[in-house]
Amino acid sequence: MNPLDWTNDGDGITYQCCRQCDSRWYFQRGFCPRCGSSNPTTLQASGIGMVHARTLVSRAPTEEWKAHSPYLIVMIDADEGFHLMAHGSMELQIGTRARARFIALAGRKIPYFEKFQ
Ligand SMILES: [Zn+2]
């Protein structure tokens, strides 16, 4: 079964892993950003990680997003060893364990992180 990914309307997050050096990253590409090796593996992430940084967005970038502001953007250190940015609940602080669920916001499906013990 192919890994589920929210960018393809699935309730999941995928990441890539280098077959040569075991580097892991989030944005899909055809080569390893660390060693340049081609043909990385695409894997299913647990959707669980720790908040590395947070920023409160008060000035939405578009009219569509104005209705949702202020909202929180978090940088997540995923348990699998890659990083991603996503929306998250206001309670999230640096160091908080968090897990993604998938919600519709401003007309599209997105990962949304919430506190997780
Ligand atoms: Zn590599």
mmCIF file of all heavy atoms in Angstrom, residues 18 20-23 32 34-37, ligand 1:
data_model
loop_
_atom_site.group_PDB
_atom_site.id
_atom_site.type_symbol
_atom_site.label_atom_id
_atom_site.label_comp_id
_atom_site.label_asym_id
_atom_site.label_seq_id
_atom_site.Cartn_x
_atom_site.Cartn_y
_atom_site.Cartn_z
ATOM 1 N N CYS A 18 17.163 8.454 2.735
ATOM 2 C CA CYS A 18 18.232 8.097 1.804
ATOM 3 C C CYS A 18 18.671 6.649 2.036
ATOM 4 O O CYS A 18 18.898 6.240 3.173
ATOM 5 C CB CYS A 18 19.407 9.044 2.005
ATOM 6 S SG CYS A 18 20.824 8.651 0.969
ATOM 7 N N GLN A 20 21.462 5.441 1.082
ATOM 8 C CA GLN A 20 22.910 5.423 1.262
ATOM 9 C C GLN A 20 23.344 5.916 2.644
ATOM 10 O O GLN A 20 24.117 5.258 3.328
ATOM 11 C CB GLN A 20 23.601 6.293 0.194
ATOM 12 C CG GLN A 20 23.470 5.758 -1.210
ATOM 13 C CD GLN A 20 24.073 4.373 -1.370
ATOM 14 O OE1 GLN A 20 25.173 4.114 -0.896
ATOM 15 N NE2 GLN A 20 23.334 3.476 -2.012
ATOM 16 N N CYS A 21 22.849 7.106 3.047
ATOM 17 C CA CYS A 21 23.363 7.734 4.275
ATOM 18 C C CYS A 21 22.316 7.822 5.388
ATOM 19 O O CYS A 21 22.601 8.347 6.466
ATOM 20 C CB CYS A 21 23.946 9.113 3.966
ATOM 21 S SG CYS A 21 22.717 10.394 3.660
ATOM 22 N N ASP A 22 21.079 7.350 5.152
ATOM 23 C CA ASP A 22 20.016 7.350 6.157
ATOM 24 C C ASP A 22 19.541 8.753 6.548
ATOM 25 O O ASP A 22 18.862 8.928 7.546
ATOM 26 C CB ASP A 22 20.429 6.561 7.404
ATOM 27 C CG ASP A 22 19.217 6.109 8.208
ATOM 28 O OD1 ASP A 22 18.219 5.680 7.593
ATOM 29 O OD2 ASP A 22 19.248 6.210 9.447
ATOM 30 N N SER A 23 19.882 9.771 5.765
ATOM 31 C CA SER A 23 19.350 11.105 6.002
ATOM 32 C C SER A 23 17.841 11.086 5.761
ATOM 33 O O SER A 23 17.352 10.311 4.937
ATOM 34 C CB SER A 23 20.043 12.077 5.041
ATOM 35 O OG SER A 23 19.656 13.398 5.291
ATOM 36 N N CYS A 32 19.053 12.725 -2.480
ATOM 37 C CA CYS A 32 19.334 13.061 -1.083
ATOM 38 C C CYS A 32 19.979 14.444 -0.987
ATOM 39 O O CYS A 32 20.974 14.704 -1.651
ATOM 40 C CB CYS A 32 20.271 12.014 -0.485
ATOM 41 S SG CYS A 32 20.851 12.429 1.176
ATOM 42 N N ARG A 34 21.697 15.556 1.330
ATOM 43 C CA ARG A 34 22.954 15.475 2.072
ATOM 44 C C ARG A 34 24.074 14.880 1.222
ATOM 45 O O ARG A 34 25.148 15.441 1.124
ATOM 46 C CB ARG A 34 22.746 14.637 3.324
ATOM 47 C CG ARG A 34 23.944 14.570 4.237
ATOM 48 C CD ARG A 34 23.521 14.001 5.589
ATOM 49 N NE ARG A 34 24.672 13.517 6.329
ATOM 50 C CZ ARG A 34 24.631 12.456 7.106
ATOM 51 N NH1 ARG A 34 23.521 11.744 7.226
ATOM 52 N NH2 ARG A 34 25.708 12.092 7.765
ATOM 53 N N CYS A 35 23.810 13.719 0.588
ATOM 54 C CA CYS A 35 24.886 13.044 -0.150
ATOM 55 C C CYS A 35 24.643 12.978 -1.658
ATOM 56 O O CYS A 35 25.516 12.556 -2.401
ATOM 57 C CB CYS A 35 25.124 11.637 0.416
ATOM 58 S SG CYS A 35 23.877 10.425 -0.071
ATOM 59 N N GLY A 36 23.457 13.396 -2.110
ATOM 60 C CA GLY A 36 23.190 13.441 -3.543
ATOM 61 C C GLY A 36 22.744 12.124 -4.156
ATOM 62 O O GLY A 36 22.444 12.066 -5.344
ATOM 63 N N SER A 37 22.683 11.076 -3.365
ATOM 64 C CA SER A 37 22.262 9.768 -3.855
ATOM 65 C C SER A 37 20.824 9.834 -4.386
ATOM 66 O O SER A 37 19.978 10.522 -3.826
ATOM 67 C CB SER A 37 22.361 8.760 -2.711
ATOM 68 O OG SER A 37 21.860 7.505 -3.114
HETATM 69 ZN ZN ZN B 1 22.177 10.467 1.456
#
